[in-house]
Amino acid sequence: MNHRPIITLLTDFGVADPYVGMMKGVIAGICSDANVIDISHDIPPEDVRTGAFFLERSFRYFPRGTVHIAVVDPGVGTSRAPLALRSEGHIFVGPDNGLLSFAAPRGRGVVLRSAPYLLPRRSHTFHGRDVFAPAAAHLARGVALEELGPAKRGFARLAWPKPRKTRRGYRAEVLSIDRFGNLITNFEPSHWDSLRRPEVHAGAFRSAVLSKSYRAARKGDLIVVFGGYGLLEIAARDASAAVKLGLARGAKVELVEAAG
Amino acid sequence: MNHRPIITLLTDFGVADPYVGMMKGVIAGICSDANVIDISHDIPPEDVRTGAFFLERSFRYFPRGTVHIAVVDPGVGTSRAPLALRSEGHIFVGPDNGLLSFAAPRGRGVVLRSAPYLLPRRSHTFHGRDVFAPAAAHLARGVALEELGPAKRGFARLAWPKPRKTRRGYRAEVLSIDRFGNLITNFEPSHWDSLRRPEVHAGAFRSAVLSKSYRAARKGDLIVVFGGYGLLEIAARDASAAVKLGLARGAKVELVEAAG
Amino acid sequence: MNHRPIITLLTDFGVADPYVGMMKGVIAGICSDANVIDISHDIPPEDVRTGAFFLERSFRYFPRGTVHIAVVDPGVGTSRAPLALRSEGHIFVGPDNGLLSFAAPRGRGVVLRSAPYLLPRRSHTFHGRDVFAPAAAHLARGVALEELGPAKRGFARLAWPKPRKTRRGYRAEVLSIDRFGNLITNFEPSHWDSLRRPEVHAGAFRSAVLSKSYRAARKGDLIVVFGGYGLLEIAARDASAAVKLGLARGAKVELVEAAG
């Protein structure tokens, strides 16, 4: 089988404006056989942390060798460096603002500075098109990472939102709310398993039952389930848990040892 | 010409969350030369009937041999079977909840149960990524349908929304409202042709004129036209017919023999 | 490297309905190795001018030889001709309503009339699928433009929105507002450079400072910058300039010689 190079895109550009199309045009001109796959373009504007979270949860579903472009870049055109990093056999391309740091926490890489691998006319406002897209396309067609610029150690990092230990268990938060209104927390299965009689508390909601599917409840009822992210979710059958509980991103969720 | 295998996607996942991207990553890892085409990811959440309608209206525009993944799957993780069906030279992959039944009413197929063709770690909540995407990608690269699991006869079916005969003609409904506010009904040309002096009734609207184009009216006026679905639509020139008539999906539309 | 043919799509169809998917199915059936790239499907319904603007700003980021399909086509099914034009080494396919005229102002082309290159069953309401998609796919696989129909001279044109000279400078307008709330005007760098002490006036906003990046201001403050379109934008740091200034598309913006 012919292995086409894969490039993924994750941005906060939306798809109504032609920005993403311009990036894909640049890529097509440099690496015409690249398979370009959108992860999301609807990251909330300038929300670097949600972008970092989506990228970390997604990249392992792509084959090794994939080049991932991520652009949530409020500091475009300032002194923050444009990067390419290698980690776990994947390559990550984006701004040095923490966006890549969940997916590639120990990545080693370079500053994108080598002119032959960037667009000749570069704006200060759209590095997605003028810097990251051409660099990624050259990487996808086989150019060595080291060719793209000088090595860099030490990158901007965001702290991965690990649940904190509390007296009775752990405190986490709602990291993301998906299209179905499911509340995605940062609890891993290991947190649930570490308690003898775990119970979830979120706003007015209490549950000690871990369900296997979204249907394990009566219509409208709330359930606790490990979802597609591999993380604990609070969901409502045929309804939005976020609406039912009135909880937003960042809301606290506790996992505690049940009393009695 | 090299014939790349084609895989289509139709889901209710939206494109803001990374779920569709994860599915495409899985596909790319199994069948790297697949041409993956989105039909829609904006099926109203858990609206199996609209998903079934879109799939039936769309699949014949793709070449024979196309593998169509459809995932509108409120029962994911329950006893409903994951299927692959063959019908009219196309292959359909999705849950056994009626979603495939408009496109493949007499399809023969299998239950997706053969582990080598599924992801090794399968969630109970995201079969789109863990079951349907890998199965479809293996089918696209040439694995025989029969390899994917045991044969199954008898599938969940939804009734295709056929107009009903009434005393004066037929009663249908608004199946879908598109981005332009056009009201798409389930009347086929044969219904119109079966009446001597057909007249459309929908809410306050009456018309005995079948237009050829959306422009066959003055600005804001309503018209009746056979649209891109091959079905009778009520449209408004440069405006939304849905807004003008205050009609929603499911609203009744009648086609009657004009009086006099 | 294998050079796959590239086809871009720009429509006002949205992506919730299956219309764009149907077009891609038709293309895949004719030119299976085409790389189909979306520029935008969220042109405001029937807004030919915004479609023309997006196409003109985007097409040069694609390699020569790219076939660009554009469909914002309120007159579909009327006497307006379906066109294919060649200009600057690119091919443009769409209705003769001015949509192509910013990108291909001096294009030479043909009326799409040759039956072998269109779908056999053509609706009067969906030329995107039945006329433009098959014609573009045949062009992408190498059919000569002249094969598709008779030559045509003289096309519908929209006037490119050039700023007008005023007593004190120039008057322009807000052409587009992007996802970030940036107000994109039709001022080019040449307008700015032609004044000795240029000052931007837009609603209550006045500025004589040209910034290099979106971060060149305090949080919430407004700036003037040349953005990704190569045009002067008014932006707000970490906020929407459109909301802050209460300005909409079409709002007047002036560039004047500062007093004193």
Side-chain angles (χ1 to χ4, degrees):
Chain A
M1 195 187 314
N2 160 42
H3 283 287
R4 281 200 289 159
I6 301 168
I7 297 175
T8 76
L9 295 177
L10 179 148
T11 76
D12 63 349
F13 296 160
V15 293
D17 302 306
Y19 301 139
V20 172
M22 291 174 180
M23 290 177 69
K24 293 180 178 174
V26 169
I27 292 168
I30 294 168
C31 182
S32 79
D33 61 341
N35 182 5
V36 180
I37 297 177
D38 300 309
I39 293 180
S40 174
H41 297 292
D42 290 324
I43 305 298
E46 310 198 345
D47 182 347
V48 175
R49 193 162 174 271
T50 294
F53 172 65
F54 279 20
L55 184 61
E56 190 279 336
R57 288 287 113 176
S58 304
F59 83 91
R60 288 186 191 85
Y61 289 98
F62 291 84
R64 277 160 185 270
T66 296
V67 179
H68 303 274
I69 304 176
V71 194
V72 181
D73 192 11
V76 59
T78 66
S79 61
R80 71 91 191 89
L83 298 178
L85 306 179
R86 192 185 288 115
S87 181
E88 296 188 40
H90 293 251
I91 295 177
F92 300 90
V93 174
D96 185 22
N97 62 7
L99 179 63
L100 311 178
S101 67
F102 291 174
R106 282 168 298 279
R108 300 180 63 161
V110 299
V111 178
L112 300 172
R113 198 180 284 164
S114 184
Y117 304 116
L118 310 175
L119 285 204
R121 294 182 55 182
R122 290 188 291 285
S123 70
H124 292 280
T125 49
F126 193 2
H127 284 189
R129 178 192 64 199
D130 302 341
V131 174
F132 301 125
H138 284 291
L139 289 164
R141 73 178 182 82
V143 172
L145 191 68
E146 292 67 28
E147 293 290 307
L148 273 75
K152 185 171 191 320
R153 300 264 171 103
F155 303 106
R157 285 173 197 287
L158 297 173
W160 175 257
K162 268 180 78 162
R164 294 194 197 165
K165 195 86 187 71
T166 61
R167 199 167 49 84
R168 293 179 58 196
Y170 304 94
R171 176 176 297 147
E173 65 183 287
V174 174
L175 287 186
S176 187
I177 296 174
D178 73 9
R179 190 190 190 211
F180 301 93
N182 300 336
L183 299 158
I184 293 125
T185 76
N186 38 347
F187 285 123
E188 311 257 0
S190 59
H191 295 104
W192 184 273
D193 294 341
S194 74
L195 298 177
R196 275 186 312 138
R197 295 175 56 195
E199 189 171 278
V200 175
H201 295 191
F205 175 67
R206 301 276 179 280
S207 176
V209 179
L210 187 63
S211 297
K212 284 218 159 168
S213 83
Y214 295 116
R215 271 288 162 96
R218 280 168 305 184
K219 193 163 173 136
D221 276 4
L222 291 155
I223 58 161
V224 175
V225 67
F226 280 95
Y229 286 101
L231 296 170
L232 188 143
E233 299 179 7
I234 301 168
R237 177 165 170 180
D238 305 328
S240 163
V243 170
K244 286 188 84 76
L245 289 173
L247 295 180
R249 208 149 48 95
K252 294 290 163 234
V253 183
E254 300 218 65
L255 193 58
V256 302
E257 197 73 69
Chain B
M1 196 187 316
N2 160 42
H3 283 287
R4 279 201 291 160
I6 301 169
I7 297 175
T8 77
L9 294 177
L10 180 148
T11 78
D12 63 349
F13 296 160
V15 293
D17 302 306
Y19 300 141
V20 172
M22 291 174 180
M23 291 177 68
K24 292 179 178 174
V26 169
I27 292 169
I30 294 168
C31 183
S32 79
D33 61 340
N35 182 5
V36 180
I37 297 177
D38 300 310
I39 294 180
S40 174
H41 298 292
D42 290 324
I43 305 297
E46 310 199 343
D47 182 346
V48 175
R49 194 162 173 272
T50 294
F53 171 64
F54 278 20
L55 183 62
E56 191 278 338
R57 288 287 113 175
S58 304
F59 83 92
R60 288 186 191 84
Y61 289 98
F62 291 84
R64 277 159 186 272
T66 297
V67 180
H68 303 274
I69 304 176
V71 193
V72 182
D73 193 11
V76 59
T78 67
S79 61
R80 71 93 192 89
L83 298 178
L85 305 179
R86 191 185 290 114
S87 181
E88 297 186 40
H90 293 250
I91 296 178
F92 300 89
V93 174
D96 185 22
N97 63 5
L99 179 63
L100 311 178
S101 67
F102 291 175
R106 280 169 298 279
R108 300 179 62 162
V110 301
V111 177
L112 301 172
R113 196 180 287 164
S114 184
Y117 305 116
L118 311 175
L119 286 203
R121 293 182 54 183
R122 290 187 290 286
S123 70
H124 293 279
T125 49
F126 193 3
H127 283 188
R129 178 192 64 198
D130 302 341
V131 174
F132 301 125
H138 284 290
L139 290 164
R141 73 178 182 84
V143 172
L145 191 67
E146 293 66 27
E147 293 289 308
L148 273 75
K152 184 172 193 316
R153 300 266 172 102
F155 303 106
R157 283 171 198 288
L158 296 173
W160 175 257
K162 267 181 78 162
R164 294 193 196 164
K165 195 86 188 73
T166 62
R167 200 166 50 81
R168 292 178 59 196
Y170 304 95
R171 175 175 297 146
E173 66 183 286
V174 174
L175 286 186
S176 188
I177 296 174
D178 73 10
R179 191 191 190 211
F180 301 93
N182 299 335
L183 299 158
I184 293 126
T185 76
N186 38 348
F187 285 124
E188 310 256 1
S190 59
H191 296 105
W192 183 273
D193 294 340
S194 75
L195 299 177
R196 275 186 311 137
R197 295 174 55 195
E199 189 171 280
V200 174
H201 295 191
F205 175 66
R206 302 277 180 278
S207 177
V209 179
L210 187 63
S211 297
K212 284 219 159 166
S213 82
Y214 295 116
R215 271 288 162 97
R218 280 169 305 185
K219 193 164 174 135
D221 276 4
L222 290 155
I223 58 161
V224 175
V225 66
F226 279 96
Y229 286 101
L231 297 170
L232 189 142
E233 298 179 8
I234 301 169
R237 177 165 170 181
D238 305 327
S240 162
V243 170
K244 286 188 83 77
L245 288 172
L247 295 179
R249 208 150 49 95
K252 293 293 163 232
V253 182
E254 300 219 67
L255 192 59
V256 302
E257 198 72 71
Chain C
M1 196 187 317
N2 160 42
H3 283 287
R4 279 201 291 160
I6 301 168
I7 296 175
T8 76
L9 294 178
L10 180 148
T11 77
D12 63 349
F13 295 160
V15 293
D17 303 306
Y19 301 141
V20 172
M22 291 175 180
M23 290 177 69
K24 292 179 178 175
V26 169
I27 291 168
I30 294 169
C31 182
S32 81
D33 60 341
N35 182 4
V36 180
I37 297 177
D38 300 309
I39 294 180
S40 174
H41 297 293
D42 290 324
I43 304 297
E46 310 199 345
D47 182 346
V48 176
R49 193 163 173 271
T50 294
F53 171 65
F54 279 19
L55 184 62
E56 191 278 337
R57 288 287 112 175
S58 304
F59 83 92
R60 288 186 191 86
Y61 288 98
F62 291 84
R64 277 160 187 271
T66 297
V67 179
H68 303 275
I69 305 177
V71 194
V72 182
D73 192 12
V76 59
T78 67
S79 61
R80 71 95 191 88
L83 299 179
L85 305 179
R86 190 185 290 114
S87 182
E88 296 187 39
H90 293 251
I91 296 177
F92 299 90
V93 174
D96 185 21
N97 64 5
L99 180 63
L100 311 178
S101 68
F102 291 174
R106 282 167 298 279
R108 300 181 62 163
V110 301
V111 178
L112 300 171
R113 197 181 284 163
S114 185
Y117 304 116
L118 311 175
L119 286 204
R121 293 181 55 184
R122 289 187 291 284
S123 70
H124 292 280
T125 50
F126 193 2
H127 284 188
R129 178 191 64 199
D130 303 341
V131 174
F132 300 125
H138 284 292
L139 289 164
R141 73 180 181 83
V143 172
L145 191 68
E146 292 67 27
E147 292 290 306
L148 274 74
K152 186 172 190 318
R153 300 266 171 103
F155 303 107
R157 282 172 199 288
L158 296 173
W160 176 257
K162 266 180 78 162
R164 296 195 196 162
K165 195 86 189 69
T166 61
R167 199 167 50 83
R168 293 179 59 197
Y170 304 95
R171 175 176 298 148
E173 65 183 287
V174 174
L175 286 185
S176 188
I177 296 174
D178 73 10
R179 190 191 191 212
F180 300 93
N182 299 336
L183 299 158
I184 293 127
T185 76
N186 39 347
F187 286 122
E188 311 258 0
S190 60
H191 295 104
W192 184 274
D193 293 341
S194 74
L195 299 177
R196 274 187 311 139
R197 296 176 54 196
E199 188 170 280
V200 174
H201 295 192
F205 175 67
R206 301 277 179 279
S207 177
V209 178
L210 187 63
S211 297
K212 283 219 160 168
S213 83
Y214 294 116
R215 272 288 161 99
R218 280 169 304 185
K219 194 163 173 137
D221 276 3
L222 291 155
I223 57 161
V224 174
V225 66
F226 279 95
Y229 287 101
L231 297 171
L232 189 142
E233 298 179 8
I234 301 169
R237 177 166 170 180
D238 305 327
S240 163
V243 170
K244 285 189 83 77
L245 288 172
L247 295 179
R249 208 150 48 97
K252 294 292 165 233
V253 182
E254 300 218 66
L255 193 59
V256 302
E257 198 71 71

